[in-house]
Amino acid sequence: MSVTPDDRPNGTDRAVRTVLAEDGVLLREGLSGLLERFGFTVVEAVGDAAALEEAVHRHDPGLVVTDIRMPPGYSDEGLRAAVRLRRERPGLAVVALSQYVEQSYAADLLDSGGGAGVGYLLKERVADVEEFAAQLGRVAAGGTVVDPEVVRQLLRRRRDPLERLSGREREVLAEIAEGHSNTAIAQRMHLSEAAVGKHIGNILAKLDLPPDDGLNRRVMAVLTYLRGA
């Protein structure tokens, strides 16, 4: 496909200088060719997170397209690098391209820079290369593009699980967090042990804790309480 000025990512004659980070050699070469085809100028293509940050400092690009899982740990190195780069350079447009939603840092990336010039796309859901190139162009121009599945998972994560609990159940959970036994909780709250046991059963059910022995579930409930507190 030939690229005319109107096809270029931000509707101008100037191609967007882009740094690409992808550890897979074949995919990296393929994406480089695809971006060049649609009018982006790939100033450097790298295979790990450290090289990504070095390339950005060296070239001062307008756009970064990065995978999330990269060497050395193949966990979230690319995403963490993207978050750091956005903090250093709020005007840098960044698109995370991944096979999954890395929830802990995805929210940080999308919140950075006021949410402008940022994107998070899932590789397996990219079905049209022209639309993909257009999405990159929108991000490079300051827009925001997020896969609906990413939004769904982040909203589910951000919903406070403690909201499901009644006021009395929160009180019981606070007592558990302080290390009190059912008997002690009953005495401190002037309840029967049976009532305390019922409240605890409701708490574990409402927090959707997986079946396990009682002690483990109590610990997991406490951790949920501490995260929400």
Side-chain angles (χ1 to χ4, degrees), residues 23-140:
D23 67 288
V25 175
L26 293 179
L27 184 54
R28 183 167 67 241
E29 292 300 315
L31 281 171
S32 293
L34 176 67
L35 294 179
E36 293 281 355
R37 171 187 168 193
F38 282 94
F40 297 83
T41 297
V42 179
V43 293
E44 191 166 350
V46 300
D48 61 69
L52 165 61
E53 296 188 65
E54 292 170 1
V56 168
H57 295 153
R58 184 160 49 247
H59 298 287
D60 191 24
L63 173 66
V64 164
V65 179
T66 181
D67 191 9
I68 287 176
R69 289 185 170 179
M70 289 197 293
Y74 291 96
S75 57
D76 56 8
E77 288 85 355
L79 187 54
R80 285 189 281 120
V83 170
R84 286 193 296 270
L85 288 169
R86 287 274 289 182
R87 287 172 181 163
E88 295 172 6
R89 303 163 180 250
L92 175 64
V94 172
V95 175
L97 186 62
S98 180
Q99 293 179 332
Y100 74 113
V101 181
E102 209 316 309
Q103 296 187 4
S104 59
Y105 285 97
D108 291 341
L109 177 64
L110 297 176
D111 286 342
S112 65
V118 66
Y120 197 125
L121 300 174
L122 299 180
K123 292 177 181 178
E124 64 180 17
R125 290 166 61 89
V126 175
D128 185 297
V129 293
E130 292 191 17
E131 174 59 21
F132 171 63
Q135 290 172 326
L136 297 186
R138 287 197 290 274
V139 172

